[in-house]
Amino acid sequence: MTKKIFIENLKAGTQIESIFLVAEKELRQKKGGIGEYLYMILKDKTGSVTTFMWDNFEKIHKSIEPGVLVKVKGNVQVYQSKLQLVLQNIEIYTEEAEIGDFLPSTKENVELLYKKVLDTIESLKSRKLKNLLNNIFQNPEYKPLILKAPAAKTYHHACIGGLLEHIVSLIGLCEIVLKHYNLDRDLLISGILLHDIGKIWEFNTSGFFDYTKQGKILGHIVMGVQLLEREANKIEDFPKELKEILAHLIISHHGELEFGSPKRPKTKEALLLHFLDLIDSQLKGFDEVIESNDADAAYSNQLGRYIFKT
């Protein structure tokens, strides 16, 4: 069964049968305290819908957890001016599905973004850095993860291909700023390509964007440095000092200790990487808040302030 209908196309008064991703699930008490009902938030790449199942869920509800796909049949209704879904049937969907139908994806062409990364690596002067970065970005184990990884769980570039979109955006910013400041382009480009590389393991993309166990106990900064160490050690005579400088770019890119950086930036390239990363992530975050709201202003929990359209 392929996905038949997306949430953005739901219409009140219709009956639907389709596949959705479970974002939230909870057993709740019915009014009057007699019995329970199944409450869920179902989602796909176009949005989410509040969902209820009043009866006949007892045999399956323990198998339903956030992150699983379910095949449902139900009626679309309106309550307090919002669409909701009332189910007659639900089952776990175990066949192959296109995860891009259920998670938001970058609007950019992922293959073109990836080609931009490879072309940028080819433009570097340092043979050692070229080898290191090609070994990472063309590694058949890492490449599928790089193509899918989001740049964040929420807020900015939180979509399939979001990490690549973020990296390519930073490359463009870097080229502009380097026309004004005399910095080491090879180092800055390498820092851009490596600063978030650990996110290919930090986030789960098989069900919904959440932290993996590795992501929770190590984080992308530590995993990025571990990857750098492994791959640099495979290259004969890779300079120890260069490896340390690259590691510093990774561990300092959040800028401040309270924002998760083990060290604050101590080179000009590290400082610029931090600010470029901040510019791109926050402006993208602004865009996403604005695009998801019709009003002239919307409150951002991540930023703790209202964002206004201009």
Side-chain angles (χ1 to χ4, degrees):
M1 176 182 176
T2 56
K3 186 161 173 57
K4 291 184 177 180
I5 189 168
F6 288 92
I7 287 169
E8 68 178 3
N9 302 127
L10 295 180
K11 295 181 180 179
T14 61
Q15 185 176 78
I16 64 133
E17 185 174 358
S18 194
I19 310 163
F20 298 101
L21 179 71
V22 178
E24 296 180 26
K25 169 245 180 173
E26 185 180 346
L27 287 182
R28 292 185 174 181
Q29 203 75 26
K30 290 182 178 178
K31 288 183 179 180
I34 302 175
E36 295 177 313
Y37 66 92
L38 179 62
Y39 166 88
M40 293 182 294
I41 301 291
L42 299 182
K43 67 178 294 185
D44 62 26
K45 67 179 183 180
T46 67
S48 60
V49 62
T50 302
T51 306
F52 303 92
M53 190 167 184
W54 304 110
D55 301 293
N56 303 319
F57 55 81
E58 290 80 8
K59 291 182 180 180
I60 194 173
H61 80 85
K62 290 183 180 179
S63 302
I64 300 171
E65 296 294 341
V68 304
L69 294 177
V70 290
K71 176 183 173 183
V72 303
K73 182 178 181 180
N75 296 316
V76 184
Q77 301 177 356
V78 175
Y79 179 71
Q80 294 184 344
S81 302
K82 292 185 178 180
L83 291 179
Q84 62 181 28
L85 192 55
V86 178
L87 303 184
Q88 288 87 50
N89 188 60
I90 184 170
E91 58 188 77
I92 303 296
Y93 188 75
T94 57
E95 299 176 33
E96 279 194 27
E98 176 53 58
I99 197 62
D101 286 342
F102 304 94
L103 295 175
S105 298
T106 176
K107 297 176 183 177
E108 305 294 328
N109 183 307
V110 172
E111 290 296 337
L112 290 180
L113 293 174
Y114 179 68
K115 183 179 184 302
K116 174 66 176 178
V117 167
L118 297 187
D119 289 345
T120 302
I121 293 172
E122 190 59 31
S123 73
L124 300 181
K125 295 177 181 178
S126 167
R127 182 176 56 83
K128 295 288 187 184
L129 288 176
K130 273 189 189 181
N131 290 343
L132 172 69
L133 294 168
N134 275 320
N135 289 350
I136 292 173
F137 279 85
Q138 298 194 59
N139 185 304
E141 178 186 348
Y142 306 150
K143 180 182 173 181
L145 302 176
I146 291 169
L147 294 178
K148 290 198 307 180
K153 180 181 176 180
T154 58
Y155 180 52
H156 79 93
H157 301 95
C159 59
I160 297 292
L163 177 60
L164 273 178
E165 183 184 349
H166 176 50
I167 286 173
V168 170
S169 180
L170 287 177
I171 290 171
L173 285 173
C174 163
E175 302 290 19
I176 294 170
V177 176
L178 285 176
K179 294 177 181 178
H180 188 77
Y181 294 105
N182 183 26
L183 301 178
D184 189 318
R185 179 179 181 273
D186 277 17
L187 280 182
L188 189 53
I189 291 291
S190 299
I192 286 170
L193 295 176
L194 294 175
H195 79 290
D196 274 347
I197 194 65
K199 288 183 176 179
I200 67 175
W201 296 293
E202 185 172 38
F203 296 112
N204 173 27
T205 58
S206 60
F208 64 105
F209 299 142
D210 198 4
Y211 291 99
T212 62
K213 181 179 179 181
Q214 285 178 295
K216 290 175 181 175
I217 65 177
L218 296 177
H220 71 277
I221 288 178
V222 170
M223 289 188 283
V225 173
Q226 289 176 334
L227 174 64
L228 168 64
E229 183 77 16
R230 287 196 304 272
E231 296 300 326
N233 288 345
K234 294 177 185 177
I235 298 174
E236 186 177 359
D237 298 325
F238 194 91
K240 181 174 180 291
E241 183 178 356
L242 178 58
K243 184 170 63 175
E244 290 172 349
I245 292 172
L246 293 174
H248 178 68
L249 288 165
I250 295 173
I251 67 175
S252 66
H253 78 269
H254 283 183
E256 300 291 341
L257 305 182
E258 58 264 36
F259 297 143
S261 273
K263 292 292 182 181
R264 298 168 68 192
K266 291 182 172 64
T267 68
K268 290 192 292 184
E269 288 78 15
L271 182 65
L272 182 55
L273 173 60
H274 162 59
F275 282 121
L276 293 181
D277 185 43
L278 189 65
I279 288 169
D280 191 58
S281 61
Q282 293 220 358
L283 284 178
K284 183 65 173 179
F286 269 47
D287 284 343
E288 291 174 0
V289 171
I290 290 168
E291 289 170 5
S292 63
N293 290 275
D294 295 328
D296 290 335
Y299 190 80
S300 167
N301 290 322
Q302 287 87 354
L303 292 170
R305 59 184 180 269
Y306 277 93
I307 306 302
F308 287 81
K309 294 181 182 180
T310 54

